[in-house]
Amino acid sequence: MRRRWRQVEEDDVVGFVDDSSTLVKQLIEGDWNCDVILIIGMGGLGKTTIARKIYNNVHVKSHFKCRAWVYVSQDFRTKELLLNILKKIEISDWRTVEELKEKLFECLLRKTYLIVMDDIWKTKVWDEVRSTFPTNLNGSRILITSRIREVASHASLTSPYFLPFLNKDEGWELLSKKVFRGGAYPPELETMGRKIADDCRGLPLSIVVLGGLLANKEKTPGTWSKLIGNVNWYLTETNTICKDILALS
């Protein structure tokens, strides 16, 4: 279910233009110390989406000689986390945790690296792995996403980036993208569509899930008018999968 949630969350990108530009600049042009950059926000706001957008940015790719992306989650295990990072840089030996830490440190030493640790829930994760990342004084970075504010203050003295909700125009843009697959839409549906998007309170995950449901329904004023003021009920009562995905948020 978490995998499905991440796929839903990353499916469409709306907004984040200024956000991603700011964070890319911070990654590339920041202090030469090994800086820890954090993206904080409630579940479903798009932390993974913006982190993935940054990770795949052409300037970021060319700047960092070594990159690795790992998904942490609530059920993290130190050995699996270290192995996943090592596999991304083409080393997959099975070792003890201490041997893995030593090997990873050696691999990253003197390299310009970017490590993304997505969805950290506990400060313990950083305590387990922080010594693994060498301070190369070459602009290497660690990017962490989390919904827990304490993770930010524990991992870095740098102020975290708090991800905002979508504004009304961005909410409607995302909903129309999902419902009409990026194509034209009947003008008479826009007013109702904006009201429906507003009921999602700027939470991208809710808009994406709702848009996926509406894409398969009749696109008429009569159908859409029934949702105005009833979006929350529609999402949580009419579809078990949607309810489960939103419950993770």
Side-chain angles (χ1 to χ4, degrees):
M1 185 59 68
R2 286 194 178 93
R3 189 180 303 112
R4 183 179 303 198
W5 173 30
R6 296 201 307 279
Q7 289 169 346
V8 166
E9 191 178 35
E10 294 174 24
D11 193 38
D12 279 296
V13 178
V14 167
F16 302 140
V17 175
D18 293 336
D19 310 293
S20 58
S21 296
T22 299
L23 289 165
V24 165
K25 185 175 182 180
Q26 191 175 352
L27 284 174
I28 295 175
E29 301 178 11
D31 195 288
W32 282 107
N33 289 320
C34 182
D35 200 9
V36 180
I37 296 169
L38 297 110
I39 301 173
I40 304 296
M42 68 175 288
L45 265 184
K47 298 181 298 296
T48 298
T49 302
I50 191 171
R52 183 70 69 182
K53 187 174 182 180
I54 293 166
Y55 186 75
N56 291 323
N57 179 277
V58 63
H59 301 296
V60 170
K61 283 184 175 181
S62 63
H63 182 79
F64 295 98
K65 305 305 179 187
C66 182
R67 296 183 309 135
W69 176 293
V70 287
Y71 176 62
V72 183
S73 84
Q74 289 173 285
D75 307 316
F76 92 99
R77 292 176 177 83
T78 303
K79 187 171 183 177
E80 289 181 10
L81 181 59
L82 294 170
L83 274 170
N84 285 335
I85 295 174
L86 280 165
K87 286 176 183 177
K88 296 294 174 23
I89 51 178
E90 300 181 358
I91 298 169
S92 56
D93 301 26
W94 286 90
R95 304 165 184 266
T96 66
V97 169
E98 290 309 312
E99 287 173 326
L100 283 168
K101 287 182 178 180
E102 183 178 343
K103 185 63 178 178
L104 182 54
F105 186 92
E106 290 174 2
C107 290
L108 296 177
L109 193 62
R110 291 181 291 277
K111 289 188 176 73
T112 307
Y113 63 83
L114 170 63
I115 307 296
V116 179
M117 293 193 288
D118 184 31
D119 198 27
I120 290 184
W121 284 71
K122 302 171 184 175
T123 57
K124 178 183 176 182
V125 177
W126 183 242
D127 291 336
E128 288 284 343
V129 302
R130 66 190 308 170
S131 63
T132 306
F133 305 117
T135 304
N136 291 337
L137 297 178
N138 62 1
S140 292
R141 300 283 186 260
I142 298 163
L143 178 63
I144 292 173
T145 74
S146 177
R147 65 186 69 190
I148 311 298
R149 287 173 179 251
E150 287 75 12
V151 169
S153 58
H154 189 74
S156 177
L157 295 176
T158 304
S159 298
Y161 182 81
F162 291 99
L163 204 62
F165 289 85
L166 296 180
N167 62 39
K168 292 186 176 184
D169 288 336
E170 290 169 341
W172 165 239
E173 181 185 351
L174 181 57
L175 181 65
S176 62
K177 265 190 174 184
K178 289 299 298 180
V179 175
F180 302 104
R181 312 302 187 194
Y185 52 83
E188 65 270 17
L189 289 180
E190 181 171 351
T191 300
M192 281 184 286
R194 285 182 174 275
K195 290 179 181 178
I196 292 169
D198 288 349
D199 283 346
C200 293
R201 302 292 190 268
L203 186 65
L205 182 59
S206 294
I207 296 172
V208 168
V209 171
L210 180 62
L213 293 173
L214 290 178
N216 298 315
K217 288 190 171 291
E218 189 178 16
K219 300 172 182 63
T220 63
T223 301
W224 282 32
S225 63
K226 296 175 184 176
L227 270 71
I228 297 174
N230 298 306
V231 165
N232 189 55
W233 177 88
Y234 185 76
L235 284 173
T236 57
E237 298 297 329
T238 64
N239 192 300
T240 302
I241 293 176
C242 293
K243 185 177 181 178
D244 291 342
I245 290 173
L246 291 168
L248 291 173
S249 170

